[in-house]
Amino acid sequence: MDQTVRVYVPATVPLLGLLRETGELAARHAHAVTPSLREWYAEGDEEELEYVAFTRAAQAALQLLRHDPKAPRRRVVISADVPAGSLVREEVELGSSDVVLAQPVPLRAVAAIHVDSASAGDDVAAAADVVEEALAGDPDAQFTVDSAEDHELEWYAPDELGDLL
């Protein structure tokens, strides 16, 4: 049996709707604890490495929001356990948590759904507007993104998806 890997898939509220309707999430990019991430954070334990991958997925959700102005301004991260063989390995820089999903993530693989509370909306909206600039090294933009990251995402079980939407 193929070993599973926990991946953190950046998403938006409309993508959660598609997950509910179709039973799968057709995402291509996710974050996980990769060999490159382990090597970079040699002192980090498993929980710390998982948190780094999760946080990077939350930041990637900001990028999705920037490109979907109609989506509610709430970051979404879907934690899922997928077969290790379903991840496409690419040459990446040291410390990267990026993974490519070779196939859609089925709802049955979802372990948890993480979503910003409505109270984070203003900070998340501001961060989505400048996330690309922050990634390019703009310190003011990074400060704005950090303000959004001060909000903890709320945890939902997969069977709460209908209620969440």
PDB file of all heavy atoms in Angstrom, residues 18 37 55 91 99 104 111 113 118 126 143 145-146:
ATOM      1  N   LEU A  18     -16.825  24.065  -4.905  1.00  0.00           N
ATOM      2  CA  LEU A  18     -16.560  23.058  -5.942  1.00  0.00           C
ATOM      3  C   LEU A  18     -16.220  21.709  -5.316  1.00  0.00           C
ATOM      4  O   LEU A  18     -16.637  20.663  -5.831  1.00  0.00           O
ATOM      5  CB  LEU A  18     -15.415  23.513  -6.845  1.00  0.00           C
ATOM      6  CG  LEU A  18     -15.758  24.572  -7.879  1.00  0.00           C
ATOM      7  CD1 LEU A  18     -14.496  25.039  -8.607  1.00  0.00           C
ATOM      8  CD2 LEU A  18     -16.779  24.046  -8.867  1.00  0.00           C
ATOM      9  N   LEU A  37      12.618  20.825   2.668  1.00  0.00           N
ATOM     10  CA  LEU A  37      12.214  21.564   3.871  1.00  0.00           C
ATOM     11  C   LEU A  37      12.901  20.972   5.108  1.00  0.00           C
ATOM     12  O   LEU A  37      13.403  21.708   5.956  1.00  0.00           O
ATOM     13  CB  LEU A  37      10.695  21.530   4.028  1.00  0.00           C
ATOM     14  CG  LEU A  37      10.112  22.353   5.171  1.00  0.00           C
ATOM     15  CD1 LEU A  37      10.367  23.844   4.950  1.00  0.00           C
ATOM     16  CD2 LEU A  37       8.624  22.093   5.304  1.00  0.00           C
ATOM     17  N   THR A  55       1.668  27.272   6.908  1.00  0.00           N
ATOM     18  CA  THR A  55       1.741  28.729   6.801  1.00  0.00           C
ATOM     19  C   THR A  55       2.009  29.160   5.361  1.00  0.00           C
ATOM     20  O   THR A  55       1.433  30.143   4.884  1.00  0.00           O
ATOM     21  CB  THR A  55       2.829  29.281   7.748  1.00  0.00           C
ATOM     22  OG1 THR A  55       2.502  28.876   9.082  1.00  0.00           O
ATOM     23  CG2 THR A  55       2.914  30.787   7.691  1.00  0.00           C
ATOM     24  N   GLU A  91      12.604  19.716  -9.165  1.00  0.00           N
ATOM     25  CA  GLU A  91      13.801  20.314  -8.598  1.00  0.00           C
ATOM     26  C   GLU A  91      13.389  21.623  -7.942  1.00  0.00           C
ATOM     27  O   GLU A  91      12.777  22.485  -8.577  1.00  0.00           O
ATOM     28  CB  GLU A  91      14.834  20.581  -9.694  1.00  0.00           C
ATOM     29  CG  GLU A  91      15.458  19.326 -10.245  1.00  0.00           C
ATOM     30  CD  GLU A  91      16.210  18.530  -9.187  1.00  0.00           C
ATOM     31  OE1 GLU A  91      16.955  19.141  -8.394  1.00  0.00           O
ATOM     32  OE2 GLU A  91      16.037  17.302  -9.152  1.00  0.00           O
ATOM     33  N   VAL A  99       4.874  21.251  -3.560  1.00  0.00           N
ATOM     34  CA  VAL A  99       4.661  19.961  -4.215  1.00  0.00           C
ATOM     35  C   VAL A  99       3.603  20.155  -5.294  1.00  0.00           C
ATOM     36  O   VAL A  99       2.779  21.069  -5.222  1.00  0.00           O
ATOM     37  CB  VAL A  99       4.221  18.847  -3.235  1.00  0.00           C
ATOM     38  CG1 VAL A  99       5.340  18.511  -2.251  1.00  0.00           C
ATOM     39  CG2 VAL A  99       2.950  19.206  -2.501  1.00  0.00           C
ATOM     40  N   PRO A 104      -6.530  15.145  -8.847  1.00  0.00           N
ATOM     41  CA  PRO A 104      -7.379  15.884  -7.904  1.00  0.00           C
ATOM     42  C   PRO A 104      -7.386  15.229  -6.525  1.00  0.00           C
ATOM     43  O   PRO A 104      -7.179  14.022  -6.387  1.00  0.00           O
ATOM     44  CB  PRO A 104      -8.768  15.822  -8.540  1.00  0.00           C
ATOM     45  CG  PRO A 104      -8.521  15.567  -9.987  1.00  0.00           C
ATOM     46  CD  PRO A 104      -7.276  14.712 -10.033  1.00  0.00           C
ATOM     47  N   ALA A 111      -8.512  15.804   5.548  1.00  0.00           N
ATOM     48  CA  ALA A 111      -8.427  15.586   6.994  1.00  0.00           C
ATOM     49  C   ALA A 111      -9.055  16.744   7.760  1.00  0.00           C
ATOM     50  O   ALA A 111      -9.643  16.543   8.818  1.00  0.00           O
ATOM     51  CB  ALA A 111      -6.970  15.414   7.411  1.00  0.00           C
ATOM     52  N   ILE A 113     -10.366  21.252   7.220  1.00  0.00           N
ATOM     53  CA  ILE A 113     -10.494  22.473   6.428  1.00  0.00           C
ATOM     54  C   ILE A 113     -10.224  23.634   7.377  1.00  0.00           C
ATOM     55  O   ILE A 113     -10.777  23.684   8.475  1.00  0.00           O
ATOM     56  CB  ILE A 113     -11.904  22.587   5.817  1.00  0.00           C
ATOM     57  CG1 ILE A 113     -12.186  21.382   4.916  1.00  0.00           C
ATOM     58  CG2 ILE A 113     -12.053  23.899   5.045  1.00  0.00           C
ATOM     59  CD1 ILE A 113     -13.643  21.206   4.561  1.00  0.00           C
ATOM     60  N   ALA A 118     -14.599  35.586   9.871  1.00  0.00           N
ATOM     61  CA  ALA A 118     -15.047  36.802   9.191  1.00  0.00           C
ATOM     62  C   ALA A 118     -14.316  38.033   9.722  1.00  0.00           C
ATOM     63  O   ALA A 118     -14.083  38.992   8.975  1.00  0.00           O
ATOM     64  CB  ALA A 118     -16.556  36.963   9.352  1.00  0.00           C
ATOM     65  N   ALA A 126      -6.472  43.288   2.576  1.00  0.00           N
ATOM     66  CA  ALA A 126      -5.301  44.155   2.385  1.00  0.00           C
ATOM     67  C   ALA A 126      -4.082  43.316   1.999  1.00  0.00           C
ATOM     68  O   ALA A 126      -3.311  43.701   1.106  1.00  0.00           O
ATOM     69  CB  ALA A 126      -5.027  44.956   3.659  1.00  0.00           C
ATOM     70  N   PHE A 143       4.783  43.649   5.802  1.00  0.00           N
ATOM     71  CA  PHE A 143       4.138  44.020   7.064  1.00  0.00           C
ATOM     72  C   PHE A 143       2.626  43.794   6.972  1.00  0.00           C
ATOM     73  O   PHE A 143       2.000  43.280   7.900  1.00  0.00           O
ATOM     74  CB  PHE A 143       4.440  45.484   7.407  1.00  0.00           C
ATOM     75  CG  PHE A 143       3.818  45.938   8.687  1.00  0.00           C
ATOM     76  CD1 PHE A 143       4.387  45.619   9.918  1.00  0.00           C
ATOM     77  CD2 PHE A 143       2.638  46.676   8.677  1.00  0.00           C
ATOM     78  CE1 PHE A 143       3.799  46.022  11.102  1.00  0.00           C
ATOM     79  CE2 PHE A 143       2.042  47.090   9.861  1.00  0.00           C
ATOM     80  CZ  PHE A 143       2.626  46.760  11.076  1.00  0.00           C
ATOM     81  N   VAL A 145       1.069  41.679   4.916  1.00  0.00           N
ATOM     82  CA  VAL A 145       0.836  40.231   4.873  1.00  0.00           C
ATOM     83  C   VAL A 145       0.977  39.640   6.273  1.00  0.00           C
ATOM     84  O   VAL A 145       0.175  38.801   6.692  1.00  0.00           O
ATOM     85  CB  VAL A 145       1.798  39.551   3.871  1.00  0.00           C
ATOM     86  CG1 VAL A 145       1.757  38.031   4.014  1.00  0.00           C
ATOM     87  CG2 VAL A 145       1.437  39.960   2.445  1.00  0.00           C
ATOM     88  N   ASP A 146       1.975  40.102   7.022  1.00  0.00           N
ATOM     89  CA  ASP A 146       2.157  39.604   8.391  1.00  0.00           C
ATOM     90  C   ASP A 146       0.935  39.908   9.259  1.00  0.00           C
ATOM     91  O   ASP A 146       0.590  39.111  10.137  1.00  0.00           O
ATOM     92  CB  ASP A 146       3.401  40.220   9.025  1.00  0.00           C
ATOM     93  CG  ASP A 146       4.700  39.694   8.411  1.00  0.00           C
ATOM     94  OD1 ASP A 146       4.657  38.671   7.696  1.00  0.00           O
ATOM     95  OD2 ASP A 146       5.754  40.331   8.639  1.00  0.00           O
TER      96      ASP A 146
END
